[in-house]
Amino acid sequence: MAVATMGVTVLDCRSPRELAEFYAAVLDWRIEGEGEWIELIGPHGRQLAFQESPGHRPPQWPGTEMPQQFHLDLDVPRERLDAAEAEVLRLGARLLEGDDGGRRDWRVYADPAGHPFCLCVH
């Protein structure tokens, strides 16, 4: 018997609205809430939330002085990987590590608040 069930995943950041808008555009999910706590609502009850943390300091990937602690893997069909990369970069992400010339099935980015996430071939 489980002790608990998984609720919402929450990202700390300086600007919850800004980061919610970035991920809403990437995932095509609906934004709910205002102020210090913003949620994205996706299919099948999936949720991703953003909580204001004025002193937030983003991780320094791949360093260990301020480690990433966690990251999001976002699935993309192989034929859409380059287009997905162009779109997340247009939305404010920055590339941290490519796919090593196609030898790996993922690319690593930082979102506008500095959290690492991957576009993974699905």
Side-chain angles (χ1 to χ4, degrees):
M1 173 184 253
V3 173
T5 59
M6 182 68 180
V8 63
T9 299
V10 182
L11 299 173
D12 286 355
C13 57
R14 292 180 186 261
S15 176
R17 170 61 61 175
E18 180 181 309
L19 198 54
E21 288 173 354
F22 171 81
Y23 281 105
V26 170
L27 297 169
D28 194 26
W29 289 10
R30 183 179 79 253
I31 296 176
E32 288 189 1
E34 293 294 330
E36 298 175 358
W37 180 274
I38 309 282
E39 292 182 354
L40 290 185
I41 309 301
H44 312 292
R46 293 181 182 145
Q47 294 182 338
L48 184 61
F50 308 91
Q51 175 176 274
E52 184 176 3
S53 175
H56 176 260
R57 292 175 34 198
Q60 301 299 309
W61 191 88
T64 58
E65 188 173 313
M66 289 179 56
Q68 67 176 333
Q69 299 176 13
F70 81 96
H71 68 275
L72 300 172
D73 282 350
L74 306 178
D75 292 340
V76 177
R78 181 174 304 280
E79 65 275 6
R80 293 259 317 122
L81 184 59
D82 290 337
E85 176 176 274
E87 185 64 9
V88 298
L89 294 175
R90 185 189 71 74
L91 291 167
R94 64 187 158 82
L95 180 66
L96 297 177
E97 184 177 288
D99 59 8
D100 196 21
R103 288 189 275 265
R104 289 195 311 254
D105 286 340
W106 71 90
R107 298 174 187 170
V108 183
Y109 306 84
D111 69 22
H115 302 104
F117 71 95
C118 296
L119 292 180
C120 303
V121 172
H122 168 64

